Amino acid sequence: MESGSVTTPFGRRPMTFGMLASQAVARKIEPGRSIDKWKLYRALCEARPLLGITDRALSILNALLSFYPKGELCEDNGLVVFPSNAQLSLRAHGMAEQTIRRHLAALIEAGLLIRKDSPNGKRYARREQGGEIGEAFGFSLAPLLARADEVERLAAEVAAERLQLQRLKERLTLCRRDITKLIEMAVEEGAPGDWSGYHLHFRSAVEQLPRSPSATEAAAALDQLELLREEIINQLEMQVKAQNQSGNAQHSERHIQSSNPYSITELEPSFGTKQGATADNRSEGWAEPMGRTATQEGRGGPVPAESSASTASGGLKSFPLGLVLQACPEIGAYGPQGSVGTWRDLMAAAVVVRSMLGVSPSAYEQACEVMGPENAATVMACVLERAGHINSAGGYLRDLTRRAERGEFAIGPMLMALARANSPIRGKTG
């Protein structure tokens, strides 16, 4: 562009203050300034979100740059390109001319191009006698050269924000994994605490994250989850310290008490005969067996039934009633007066459910003897939740009882799977 000149658009296109400002910026190019056009284009692609242009507009700009004969943009070589819309369409992979006009207008509005129209609106160049271009009419690339430093700065900001967001997402992933596994461990080990409440808090924080969060949103969610993780860790560390102090034989003796406060005879009469059944349709990931533990088989004769049941019942963890009701809400309708508020209510509801599902009294009595009344009632509540996926509830219960006798069954994974499935707040994938 000539110094001090102002060009106005041809025809009905109006002149705007934005066009005037772009032309004013283009006149401030430093003498001798040059820049690699494709390096500048890559910076434009990086800074696109901050420049407010679309990827298709950048495709048109790419086609315009391809018409510039030199590898570097420089005022000494001229900065005006003058291809026809037909030639632009060919280099823009067949883009329609109406679409080309729309994106050209967007580039001009963004201050990346200047329209230098001829008297008749055509794009062409006048050549001197020596064949050199004297004056050209088309699109001036001068704003690109004038704003090169600004574009590179914006590109660096976008790259830094993307790197920060990537690191925040990595920390979020690690924090989510830590919280999930710590809660599962606490439930599996039967540690006292409001683990269902922690789980709901965790799912609520994750649910608030959008599918594509910004750096600010990711940082806010990370702060919330890190506080939750710290609280869980503190509570678990207190449990470890308490266990270490109570397990010191020099200071205190182990307290042994019965884990069966309610007699099974209070709930259901005993029957001498037992019905055999098989377990069908175990859901994948549900009621997974624990690692096989050492038994007394092979150490000198068969194991007495009472000793085997006592060992298995002692090794099976109990869980808070609140967690059981959260994971198995359907059992509540079968409790006394249509609700379950205590363990005794849950065990009474389990007797009703046992009869409804066709589980024999002997199978349920054996489960109570092996697992304990509370755990047996918990298992019945889980079976009720999955009744539509189990062909024979009685056979399934007998199979779980046999696995519990061998130390190969734990209630924790089954409860956690149902708690996640019945949680009022659904988690996202990923």
Side-chain angles (χ1 to χ4, degrees):
M1 293 183 61
E2 298 176 2
S3 177
S5 66
V6 173
T7 179
T8 57
F10 171 78
R12 298 182 179 180
R13 301 189 189 99
M15 183 67 178
T16 64
F17 278 104
M19 294 180 183
L20 192 62
S22 297
Q23 294 180 32
V25 170
R27 289 196 296 269
K28 297 180 180 179
I29 299 175
E30 299 177 2
R33 176 72 188 275
S34 65
I35 189 170
D36 184 274
K37 63 180 182 180
W38 298 122
K39 179 182 177 182
L40 179 60
Y41 178 74
R42 287 191 292 271
L44 283 166
C45 293
E46 191 77 50
R48 180 179 66 82
L50 300 181
L51 292 172
I53 54 177
T54 64
D55 52 349
R56 304 206 62 187
L58 284 175
S59 298
I60 296 299
L61 185 59
N62 180 34
L64 286 174
L65 287 173
S66 70
F67 284 102
Y68 190 78
K70 304 293 184 178
E72 291 192 349
L73 294 178
C74 181
E75 205 170 14
D76 297 338
N77 299 327
L79 292 171
V80 178
V81 292
F82 41 90
S84 65
N85 284 345
Q87 292 297 319
L88 269 178
S89 177
L90 289 176
R91 297 202 184 183
H93 309 289
M95 190 181 295
E97 290 191 12
Q98 295 85 350
T99 308
I100 289 176
R101 294 191 188 97
R102 186 170 67 252
H103 292 308
L104 284 172
L107 290 170
I108 293 170
E109 185 178 357
L112 299 177
L113 289 180
I114 293 176
R115 189 188 296 274
K116 187 179 180 183
D117 287 341
S118 66
N120 61 0
K122 301 294 183 180
R123 301 171 198 157
Y124 59 88
R126 288 199 184 99
R127 297 184 180 273
E128 305 293 342
Q129 292 182 352
E132 298 178 354
I133 295 177
E135 188 174 9
F137 299 96
F139 298 103
S140 174
L141 304 175
L144 294 178
L145 184 58
R147 299 178 61 184
D149 293 338
E150 177 192 355
V151 170
E152 291 179 349
R153 176 178 57 80
L154 293 176
E157 289 179 5
V158 172
E161 184 177 358
R162 185 175 62 249
L163 180 60
Q164 180 189 9
L165 181 59
Q166 179 182 355
R167 291 175 176 173
L168 286 172
K169 286 183 176 180
E170 290 175 352
R171 292 174 61 188
L172 265 174
T173 300
L174 293 174
C175 192
R176 290 174 62 178
R177 185 181 69 190
D178 293 344
I179 292 174
T180 300
K181 290 188 177 294
L182 287 173
I183 292 178
E184 288 182 353
M185 179 200 70
V187 172
E188 175 66 25
E189 296 296 330
D194 185 16
W195 304 114
S196 59
Y198 285 131
H199 180 71
L200 287 176
H201 186 187
F202 167 67
R203 297 313 313 170
S204 177
V206 173
E207 181 70 18
Q208 293 174 3
L209 270 177
R211 186 173 295 274
S212 299
S214 64
T216 303
E217 293 169 333
L222 180 61
D223 290 341
Q224 187 176 0
L225 291 178
E226 284 182 339
L227 288 175
L228 178 61
R229 179 177 61 181
E230 189 68 23
E231 184 177 352
I232 292 174
I233 291 175
N234 288 339
Q235 184 163 349
L236 290 175
E237 287 179 347
M238 291 173 60
Q239 298 292 335
V240 172
K241 291 179 181 178
Q243 290 179 3
N244 289 339
Q245 292 176 358
S246 64
N248 192 338
Q250 296 178 356
H251 296 82
S252 61
E253 297 180 356
R254 297 185 182 272
H255 179 62
I256 302 176
Q257 63 180 5
S258 173
S259 62
N260 188 6
Y262 303 110
S263 173
I264 189 61
T265 57
E266 296 181 7
L267 302 176
E268 193 165 9
S270 174
F271 290 83
T273 59
K274 296 183 180 181
Q275 298 178 356
T278 59
D280 297 320
N281 293 351
R282 293 194 190 109
S283 299
E284 184 177 356
W286 191 66
E288 287 294 331
M290 294 290 288
R292 186 180 297 272
T293 58
T295 64
Q296 296 182 6
E297 295 178 2
R299 297 184 181 178
V303 182
E306 295 180 359
S307 174
S308 175
S310 174
T311 302
S313 177
L316 201 60
K317 300 291 183 181
S318 298
F319 298 89
L321 180 61
L323 178 60
V324 175
L325 296 178
Q326 177 195 342
C328 310
E330 292 186 13
I331 193 69
Y334 299 93
Q337 299 179 353
S339 64
V340 171
T342 63
W343 279 108
R344 184 177 292 275
D345 293 344
L346 180 66
M347 289 186 285
V351 174
V352 177
V353 170
R354 176 210 59 78
S355 177
M356 183 187 71
L357 295 180
V359 177
S360 66
S362 60
Y364 185 64
E365 180 184 356
Q366 184 181 12
C368 290
E369 292 175 355
V370 173
M371 304 179 187
E374 296 91 344
N375 288 333
T378 300
V379 171
M380 284 305 306
C382 295
V383 171
L384 176 63
E385 290 292 323
R386 302 288 295 177
H389 302 273
I390 300 174
N391 289 341
S392 173
Y396 189 75
L397 181 63
R398 285 188 183 278
D399 183 68
L400 294 183
T401 303
R402 286 192 294 268
R403 288 159 59 187
E405 282 184 310
R406 299 193 298 266
E408 298 175 356
F409 170 63
I411 302 177
M414 180 166 58
L415 272 181
M416 289 303 297
L418 288 173
R420 286 191 292 267
N422 294 325
S423 174
I425 301 175
R426 299 291 181 182
K428 293 182 176 181
T429 58

